[in-house]
Every structure is written in structure tokens, then in C-alpha cells.
Amino acid sequence: MILDLDIGNTLSKWRLKDADSSEIRSRGAVWTREEWRPGADIPDLDVVEAVRISSVARRAVLEETVGLLRQRVGSVYVARSTAEALGVTNGYEEPGRLGVDRWMGALAGYQLAGGCCAVDCGSAITVDFVLPGGRHLGGYILPGLRLMKESLKLGTRNVAIDPDSEAEELLEPGRRTVEAVNHGIYMAAVSAVNRIYSEVCDQQGVALPMMLTGGDARVVSRGIQVPHAVWPDMVYGGLEACFPLTAAERAGRMSGAPRVPSPVALEKIRAALAFSMLL
């Protein structure tokens, strides 16, 4: 079995993948902690022959995790943000400072679509762009839905936005404080992503396919105005592309990859952007 780990600031997500069939056998998540130790809340390491890790947690957390895993598992691969990989050139002035989860998402999106807008809706909402040809432009970092809610300090942090809510409902004025907070932060998030996408496509003269990942991708997706796909395993896809271990991965197939959405014409993006600027 292959254990893939996506260690975030809030959650550490994992999945077990069959090394022979390339099928996903199980998955789960635990809170990112100061000490990460094998236990009932993670898979049995006795069946794991290799581990691939993407981590944005503190260095001490990663070092502790890698040290423990190397005592139990034969091969441990740790993803790093580099100046270039898999045909993509990192857009950061200091490539190593780009969050590795963003780098994995950009690499996965490029392998799948040959140019993309990769949006990760987690503790923060990040938006990264890779042009056809592999030039990563850099990106944007916004507060995530939960972080925005916590910043208001109105006692509503534990009342989550229903991911099944329709976008039209979430964009209406709230009639209770909880609704006003939820609808306000939702409006802020989706408006920012929509505007960022339109502005960058206009500047670069290209309409890129958009892919969303992260814990809040499903709800943010409902307010996105351009064709897009939700890809929960996008960071894992980057790990697969960087460290291919199965026959399917070596053939370029990433587990759970969605159909690439066809973007709207650039002229329509520009027309909508021009109209919004008149309001």
C-alpha cells in the first residue's frame, strides 16, 4: 500500500492506495497536532510500503512525522517547492517559499489540463495560475471561510455554511446574525475568486480551465460563475505526478482526476469584467 499525506495547518488528510491496482482503499483526516503518532485515527503502517507527503505545517511537525514514518516504512518521499518541475516554472522570486500544497496543485492541474487556474479552499483560499507552456504566474491568498468568520468574533464560528445550500440563497441578505455572517463571507470569497480569475485571464489573454480543491471547495463551487471542476485529490495528484509509484501513475494517470472543464470564450470573460466595472 501507498500512504499519501496532505498535512495542512488545520487538518492532516490521508489516503491509502493499492500499489498494484492503483485503487484508493481508504481515506480519512485527523487534526494537525504538535506530535503526529501512529494510532487508531490513521491507517495501519504495517501494510504501507511507501509514503508521499505534502506538508505546510511547521517544520518541527514535518520532521517529527518523517522521523516516525522512516522507522516503520521503507520509502518516504517529501514534496518540496522547487524552481521547476514537470514542465512548470515556479513564479515565485524565492521558489521554496511557495506553499508546497499550492505547488502540488499547480503541477497536478498542469499535467491534467496543460494550463489552469488552481483554487484551494482550505483554511486560506489560494488561487494560482499556470499558463499553457508551464509558466506559473504566482497567485493570491485570501482568508478562508472559517478564518473570515472567526475574525468577526460574533460567536458564529461553529455554525457552518451548509454545502448543499444554493448559491442564490447564500447571496441574499441574511435575516439573522448567523445568516448575515455566513452570506457575507460567502459573498466575499466567491466574488474575490470570480474577479481574480477574470482579471488574470484578461491580462494574460487566455481563458484557463479552473479546478477547485480543499474542504470548502464544494460550497465555494456553487458561487463560481465560470465552468470549473471540483478535484478533492488535486494535491494528491501532484504527489502522484512527482513520485509515480504505480503503473498507472507512471503512465500519467492521476487518481480521481476530473474531466477538464471547457472555459468560456475569452471575449465573454472580458465582456463580463467590463460590465462589472461599470456597476
Side-chain angles (χ1 to χ4, degrees), residues 46-276:
D46 290 338
V47 303
V48 174
E49 58 195 74
V51 181
R52 298 179 290 205
I53 303 173
S54 167
S55 173
V56 296
R58 293 189 309 107
R59 179 179 298 180
V61 174
L62 176 60
E63 290 176 351
E64 172 84 4
T65 301
V66 171
L68 288 167
L69 289 170
R70 283 185 171 151
Q71 297 174 17
R72 303 281 303 277
V73 180
S75 301
V76 179
Y77 304 90
V78 180
R80 310 283 185 187
S81 294
T82 57
E84 189 277 335
L86 303 175
V88 179
T89 303
N90 194 319
Y92 262 35
E93 294 179 358
E94 298 180 64
R97 291 189 174 274
L98 174 66
V100 70
D101 54 345
R102 293 171 58 194
W103 185 232
M104 291 297 101
L107 294 178
Y110 184 71
Q111 302 312 301
L112 183 66
C116 69
C117 171
V119 183
D120 193 329
C121 308
S123 299
I125 296 174
T126 63
V127 187
D128 281 88
F129 292 87
V130 182
L131 296 180
R135 183 162 69 95
H136 171 243
L137 298 178
Y140 302 80
I141 302 176
L142 317 167
L145 300 183
R146 292 170 177 79
L147 190 58
M148 280 194 272
K149 185 180 295 188
E150 290 173 11
S151 71
L152 292 174
K153 301 185 184 302
L154 294 175
T156 60
R157 59 180 294 181
N158 293 323
V159 184
I161 298 174
D162 183 355
D164 294 321
S165 298
E166 295 297 332
E168 292 80 4
E169 174 190 338
L170 290 171
L171 297 175
E172 292 177 353
R175 298 185 180 182
R176 297 179 296 126
T177 298
V178 169
E179 287 182 352
V181 169
N182 283 348
H183 295 192
I185 63 175
Y186 184 77
M187 173 74 84
V190 299
S191 297
V193 174
N194 284 322
R195 183 62 177 267
I196 287 169
Y197 175 83
S198 298
E199 289 281 3
V200 173
C201 287
D202 177 40
Q203 293 167 9
Q204 298 298 324
V206 60
L208 297 169
M210 180 189 290
M211 282 164 280
L212 281 72
T213 194
D216 289 323
R218 184 179 166 197
V219 65
V220 171
S221 167
R222 291 176 172 266
I224 300 302
Q225 297 173 350
V226 298
H228 59 278
V230 175
W231 186 2
D233 284 1
M234 188 157 68
V235 172
Y236 293 144
L239 288 173
E240 291 173 328
C242 288
F243 309 110
L245 299 177
T246 72
E249 292 169 357
R250 288 189 287 270
R253 295 194 294 274
M254 293 174 286
S255 300
R259 181 182 62 83
V260 178
S262 298
V264 299
L266 181 60
E267 292 73 18
K268 289 186 177 181
I269 293 174
R270 286 174 165 164
L273 181 60
F275 179 74
S276 69

